[in-house]
Amino acid sequence: MERHHPRRWLAAFGLSTCLAGSALAESTVEVFTTAGEPVINVPSGMVVIELDAPGRLDAALSQDLPADPEVAEGFMRERMSVPEWQETAERYADSYLGLARAWQLGVEKVPAVVIDGRYVIYGQPDVAEAVREAERLLGQEGRR
């Protein structure tokens, strides 16, 4: 899976487009999954939001912390004083924004490919195929 610069996935909230075909040419596509449900064939520039990222970051940050809360606090203050901490803090913020977006959209399971915040294809790990399926369904809907 392609990794993205922090905050870059915010483009999925309305700034990015997916040029998958005529029916979805100007659509916003958001992809939600977890590390245990990887997706494939993600079109270039499309962002994948892993909903379990906050928990994984929590586990990484608390790894090797002593049981004594005061000592652990000192360790964390030390970790937060290094220049690399800003990147970690941004990843943390981004991961929670992604989780909030999924909640806002009502995402019920993963993988989920959401089109324009209105249409969702669940259970298809091949993102390009999910977009084609959505395009086919939206095309049929337009002919009615």
Side-chain angles (χ1 to χ4, degrees):
M1 176 180 357
E2 181 180 345
R3 296 289 173 209
H4 301 282
H5 185 273
R7 305 229 188 271
R8 200 169 135 205
W9 69 269
L10 288 174
F13 286 5
L15 301 176
S16 70
T17 60
C18 172
L19 302 175
S22 58
L24 296 179
E26 298 300 320
S27 296
T28 300
V29 179
E30 298 167 278
V31 181
F32 299 91
T33 194
T34 62
E37 297 283 337
V39 292
I40 59 171
N41 295 324
V42 180
S44 178
M46 194 174 292
V47 179
V48 175
I49 300 165
E50 291 184 344
L51 300 178
D52 57 347
R56 290 194 325 268
L57 280 168
D58 284 343
L61 286 173
S62 61
Q63 185 174 357
D64 301 326
L65 287 178
D68 182 311
E70 290 180 19
V71 177
E73 180 181 348
F75 273 75
M76 282 305 298
R77 286 187 189 281
E78 190 175 309
R79 288 180 185 175
M80 293 169 62
S81 69
V82 299
E84 296 81 19
W85 175 254
Q86 185 60 40
E87 183 180 327
T88 301
E90 288 175 4
R91 282 192 356 241
Y92 224 104
D94 289 347
S95 69
Y96 274 103
L97 285 172
L99 191 61
R101 179 63 176 156
W103 178 78
Q104 179 185 35
L105 290 170
V107 171
E108 296 176 1
K109 61 183 181 174
V110 295
V113 177
V114 181
I115 315 294
D116 290 337
R118 297 175 35 196
Y119 309 101
V120 63
I121 302 293
Y122 283 118
Q124 175 56 271
D126 185 324
V127 176
E129 182 60 34
V131 169
R132 283 191 292 275
E133 183 178 342
E135 183 176 62
R136 183 181 56 78
L137 293 170
L138 289 172
Q140 287 176 355
E141 186 177 280
R143 288 191 289 257
R144 291 182 189 175

